[in-house]
């Protein structure tokens, strides 16, 4: 019985820590949204989650070389919108263009990279909630 209770406590702590991390992430993400002046392209902070995805050009997002500048490329935040009704379903929209990646201030470049990572962190929670809801429509049919 004790091990079941311990597993429950561990699970509760993990869920609580994820929720705390998510709230802090959203707070910092909104701060970065303001610092990067993204309100010039997106009316409200929450509207960034209407995009299918947000990508980065000009710097790496791979774990091994996170933030490493790609020489000769331009540092740019690109959002991907999706419209079922349009002839061309997806469209890239520039949310921020910052010039040649190697010429951008390192601290500013790091803010851009951090924004993308924090956006993806929150978007992954939203995706999880979305699919959890979809699975719920099947109920116990598969059992």
């Amino acid at each position: 019985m004790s091990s079941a209770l311990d597993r429950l406590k561990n699970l509760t702590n993990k869920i609580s820590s994820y929720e705390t991390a998510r709230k802090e992430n959203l707070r910092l993400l909104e701060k970065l949204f303001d610092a990067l002046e993204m309100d010039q392209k997106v009316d409200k902070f929450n509207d960034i989650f209407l995009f299918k995805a947000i990508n980065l050009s000009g710097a790496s997002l791979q774990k091994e070389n996170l933030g490493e500048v790609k020489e000769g490329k331009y540092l740019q935040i690109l959002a991907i919108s999706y419209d079922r009704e349009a002839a061309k379903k997806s469209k890239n929209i520039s949310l921020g263009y910052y010039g040649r990646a190697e010429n951008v201030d390192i601290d500013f470049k790091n803010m851009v990279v951090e924004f993308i990572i924090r956006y993806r962190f929150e978007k992954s929670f939203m995706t999880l909630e979305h699919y959890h809801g979809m699975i719920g429509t099947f109920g116990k049919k598969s059992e």
Side-chain angles (χ1 to χ4, degrees), residues 25-48 77 95 98 108 111-112 115 118:
N25 183 64
L26 271 173
R27 187 185 69 75
L28 294 171
L29 183 61
E30 187 166 11
K31 212 169 146 179
L32 289 166
F33 176 86
D34 293 336
L36 296 172
E37 298 178 345
M38 296 183 82
D39 58 338
Q40 294 178 12
K41 299 281 183 139
V42 180
D43 291 334
K44 295 180 295 195
F45 168 70
N46 284 331
D47 289 349
I48 64 173
I77 297 174
L95 297 183
Y98 308 107
F108 188 83
M111 279 195 326
V112 171
F115 174 83
R118 290 191 178 283

Side-chain angles (χ1 to χ4, degrees), residues 11-23 121 125:
L11 182 59
T12 303
N13 288 338
K14 189 178 276 190
I15 291 168
S16 176
S17 74
Y18 276 136
E19 194 54 36
T20 301
R22 184 178 183 187
K23 285 178 184 174
F121 184 64
F125 277 110

Side-chain angles (χ1 to χ4, degrees), residues 68-79:
E68 188 176 293
V69 168
K70 297 176 181 175
E71 295 291 323
K73 300 286 184 180
Y74 297 92
L75 189 67
Q76 187 172 10
I77 297 174
L78 299 167

